Amino acid sequence: MWFKKIDRQPGSCRKGRATLKMPTEKIDISMFAPCGMNCKVCYKHCYHKKPCAGCLNSDKGKPEHCRKCKIKDCIKEKSLSYCFECAEYPCKLIKNLEKSYHKRYQASLIENSRFVQAHGLEHFMEQQKAKYTCPKCGGIVSMHDRECSECQEKMK
């Protein structure tokens, strides 16, 4: 049996990944998670045929650990939109997540939240767009694996 080799062009789907360009318009602010994560640059949003819609949106496409998130449950219980609105912020849940993100991804969700408090959500998302847009092709660079959603270029 003969198989034809398929040459993939940059930006084509591979390994079950959907290709996503960083939007030229403003990033939807609903992509800012209660914990301080920008869901737009999460690997679960960037690389799936049915991308996750973000923590504040539908559970469709979300991994199990996101569907069962204690932080999301907590803000719902307290009728808040974001953790930084809570009098107990940063709580143990946030501190544990912060420690993990700092160690694994060199990122601070607490700094993200403080930036939003000081400068607003729209300004934060514009800053994130500049930081996580692939300079080579305009794809979205995942903050988790630092790989472009379009050209799979690894960023530093």
Side-chain angles (χ1 to χ4, degrees):
M1 185 176 263
W2 293 93
F3 292 96
K4 181 180 176 186
K5 181 182 176 206
I6 299 171
D7 291 320
R8 298 205 185 265
Q9 298 298 315
S12 66
C13 290
R14 26 192 229 191
K15 297 181 194 171
R17 295 177 173 178
T19 57
L20 298 167
K21 291 275 189 177
M22 184 64 82
T24 53
E25 67 281 355
K26 291 181 179 181
I27 298 174
D28 182 0
I29 60 171
S30 73
M31 293 303 280
F32 185 73
C35 65
M37 173 67 193
N38 174 5
C39 295
K40 191 74 169 179
V41 299
C42 173
Y43 75 103
K44 289 292 183 183
H45 174 76
C46 291
Y47 299 130
H48 285 36
K49 289 180 181 180
K50 295 178 183 173
C52 174
C55 289
L56 295 178
N57 296 309
S58 161
D59 277 348
K60 188 176 182 181
K62 279 191 179 102
E64 184 177 357
H65 69 275
C66 291
R67 289 190 309 270
K68 294 181 176 183
C69 178
K70 290 179 183 179
I71 293 171
K72 191 171 71 170
D73 292 343
C74 180
I75 64 143
K76 275 186 184 176
E77 187 178 294
K78 294 179 179 182
S79 298
L80 300 171
S81 296
Y82 306 106
C83 295
F84 64 76
E85 297 169 330
C86 182
E88 298 171 38
Y89 182 80
C91 67
K92 186 178 179 179
L93 289 172
I94 290 294
K95 287 178 182 176
N96 288 340
L97 186 61
E98 175 76 4
K99 185 177 179 181
S100 172
Y101 266 69
H102 184 64
K103 182 179 179 180
R104 295 166 67 194
Y105 312 117
Q106 298 74 51
S108 174
L109 304 180
I110 291 175
E111 283 179 25
N112 289 354
S113 292
R114 288 188 178 138
F115 186 95
V116 168
Q117 285 178 294
H119 305 286
L121 199 42
E122 291 82 5
H123 192 267
F124 173 76
M125 288 303 207
E126 285 302 309
Q127 176 207 48
Q128 291 281 288
K129 184 163 51 168
K131 184 176 181 178
Y132 292 105
T133 299
C134 177
K136 184 177 175 183
C137 73
I140 302 170
V141 177
S142 164
M143 67 111 35
H144 294 109
D145 63 11
R146 301 192 196 299
E147 186 174 296
C148 175
S149 62
E150 289 286 309
C151 66
Q152 285 74 48
E153 185 82 18
K154 282 283 195 182
M155 306 296 162
K156 291 186 180 194

